[in-house]
Amino acid sequence: DDEATDILVDPSGDVLIVGREFRNDLGQESNILMRRYTADLSSLVWEQKYNSPGNNTDYGEGIARDSAGNIIVVGREERPDLTQEDNWVVMKRNGATGLPVWTVNYNSPASSDDVAYSVAVDSQDRAVVVGSEFRSDLGQGDNWLIRVYDGAGSLVWSRTYNNDVANGEDKAYAVAVDR
C-alpha cells in the first residue's frame, strides 16, 4: 500500500509530503514519493519519485527544508543487485521543482539493514540525519547512526552508538537541531 511518512509545511504554507508508492505494474517494488501541494491543498505543485537502480523497495522516511527552500529527503533503498540489503539514501531536491540536486547513499560494512529515519537542517544548512545501521560484522545488532552532510552532500562527520550490554536494537528515529 502507498503511505505518507512525513510532512513539512514551508514558510509560504505549501505542504510537502514524503512516503512511498508501490509500482509492481512497472516491475518495481516501491518508490520514494515526494509531493508538494499549495497551502490550501487544492493543487499539486509537483510530484517526484525515486526508484533505486535495483528496482526494489525504496522508502521515504523524513523531510526537512534548508534556508534556500530546497528539501532534504531521507530513507532507504534495497540493493540486492549489489548483494546488499537496505542502504541509507539522502537526497537534496530543488524546493520549487522537486528535481534532484544531489543524492548520497550509505552502506554499512555489514551490508545489512541501514535506514535513515529522520533529518533536520542546522543553521549552516547542514543536513543532520539519524537512523540505524545493522552491524553483525561486529557481533552487534542495530546501532544508532548520526551523519551530518554539508550543503553539497559531502559527509562532515559520522557517529554511532551501541548499547554494549545488550547489543540489541539501538535505533534513532527523530532529530531536532538548535538553530
Side-chain angles (χ1 to χ4, degrees), residues 149-167:
Y149 299 93
D150 67 18
S154 297
L155 182 65
V156 176
W157 59 262
S158 179
R159 304 283 186 279
T160 62
Y161 168 77
N162 174 50
N163 177 345
D164 293 332
V165 177
N167 276 332

Side-chain angles (χ1 to χ4, degrees), residues 106-134:
Y106 171 75
N107 176 44
S108 70
S111 288
S112 195
D113 292 322
D114 308 313
V115 182
Y117 288 110
S118 184
V119 59
V121 177
D122 70 12
S123 61
Q124 297 173 25
D125 275 342
R126 298 180 305 185
V128 180
V129 184
V130 299
S132 63
E133 64 176 346
F134 192 79

Side-chain angles (χ1 to χ4, degrees), residues 17 33 40 46 49 54 59 65 109 123 128 136 142 147 158 167 169:
I17 301 172
L33 178 62
D40 64 2
W46 54 255
K49 301 169 186 181
Y59 286 65
R65 182 184 177 279
S123 61
V128 180
S136 59
D142 289 302
R147 294 171 70 86
S158 179
N167 276 332
E169 283 196 24

Side-chain angles (χ1 to χ4, degrees), residues 5-23:
T5 53
D6 202 7
I7 188 169
L8 169 76
V9 178
D10 80 359
S12 73
D14 282 3
V15 178
L16 294 106
I17 301 172
V18 66
R20 67 178 175 159
E21 68 168 357
F22 283 93
R23 293 309 306 256

Side-chain angles (χ1 to χ4, degrees), residues 51-66:
N51 176 40
S52 65
N55 280 330
N56 274 288
T57 305
D58 307 314
Y59 286 65
E61 299 282 356
I63 189 170
R65 182 184 177 279
D66 70 12

